[in-house]
Amino acid sequence: MAAEISISVQAAGFDPGAEYQHLRSGNYVDGATAMFVGNVRDFSPAESGEKNPVAVLELEHYPGMAESALTDIARQAAARWPLGRVRVIHRFGPLTAGEEIVFVGATSTHRQSAMDACAFIMDFLKSRAPFWKKEIGEGAEAGSWVQARHSDEDALKKW
Amino acid sequence: MIKVLFFASLREQLGCDGLEAEAAGIASIEELRGKLAQKGSNWQSALANELLQVALNQQLSNMDAAIKDGDEVAFFPPVTGG
């Protein structure tokens, strides 16, 4: 049976506990639920090893394509593993330290499938979904765009 | 017409989030990029970035992809979400 896939790209926050309940509600087939939550840090690691303070993380996205890219990635995961439900949430707009920025949840009959699906979706999301982060410090400076890392692209090779 | 969009640091470099380009005489994204680069030195340097990514009708694409009237083409730097 095809997996139930639910994607949200939103400015509003979300409740990971409520998302877990949605993944589990009436679901007596899948014995495994894996979830990943990404949170905003209050610093940016500098090459020198120092930590630059970040007051606000501004998330820009490509409306329309962001939703379709996440749906496509979730469908690829559902084609690879026997998933029951898949839920992906990605926020945009200004976010402050500690806030949830991304949620990936998957249910499956077995734990490895659920965990692999979450890791796969996060890896592809980071290199294929049109979102960009801008770190804004404590002062009045304009902020700086987060640069893509080679390690993110390399992470795709294991799949 | 071809709808052209720019995102993130590229949008800031160009001071422009999008425009419409005449489709006549533009057969590929690479040709569109070349035409846009003629708009000024900042356009030329920003669009020459070898890491620049492109989407055609909201699907990741390649610079050599063919385009036609009515298409939506977006240029942007490597993505950093998640």
Side-chain angles (χ1 to χ4, degrees), chain A residues 59-65 68 72 90 101-102 122 125-134 145-149 152, chain B residues 5-12 51 53-61 72-82:
Chain A
L59 260 292
E60 180 169 331
H61 74 300
Y62 181 173
M65 183 180 168
S68 61
D72 184 54
H90 204 304
I101 182 172
V102 62
M122 272 309 301
L125 181 160
K126 288 198 81 74
S127 295
R128 297 289 184 269
F131 294 88
W132 301 270
K133 288 179 185 146
K134 187 182 211 181
W145 292 98
V146 174
Q147 299 298 309
R149 294 182 299 188
D152 289 339
Chain B
L5 300 171
F6 309 106
F7 289 97
S9 57
L10 181 66
R11 171 177 52 74
E12 290 186 346
L51 296 177
Q53 297 190 357
V54 66
L56 172 59
N57 297 326
Q58 306 195 348
Q59 296 282 327
L60 283 175
S61 185
E72 178 176 300
V73 177
F75 293 99
F76 43 80
V79 305
T80 57

Side-chain angles (χ1 to χ4, degrees), chain B residues 10-54:
Chain B
L10 181 66
R11 171 177 52 74
E12 290 186 346
Q13 284 172 310
L14 300 176
C16 173
D17 62 6
L19 52 79
E20 293 213 319
E22 189 63 55
I26 300 177
S28 69
I29 293 173
E30 190 59 61
E31 288 180 23
L32 174 65
R33 176 158 78 158
K35 181 147 185 156
L36 293 171
Q38 294 171 9
K39 288 172 67 70
S41 58
N42 62 323
W43 288 74
Q44 188 170 19
S45 61
L47 292 169
N49 187 339
E50 62 181 18
L51 296 177
L52 200 65
Q53 297 190 357
V54 66

Side-chain angles (χ1 to χ4, degrees), chain A residues 5 7 12 28 32 35 54 60 65 79 86 123 126 136 147:
Chain A
I5 293 172
I7 306 292
Y28 306 113
M35 305 193 302
V54 173
E60 180 169 331
M65 183 180 168
V86 182
D123 280 347
K126 288 198 81 74
I136 300 167
Q147 299 298 309

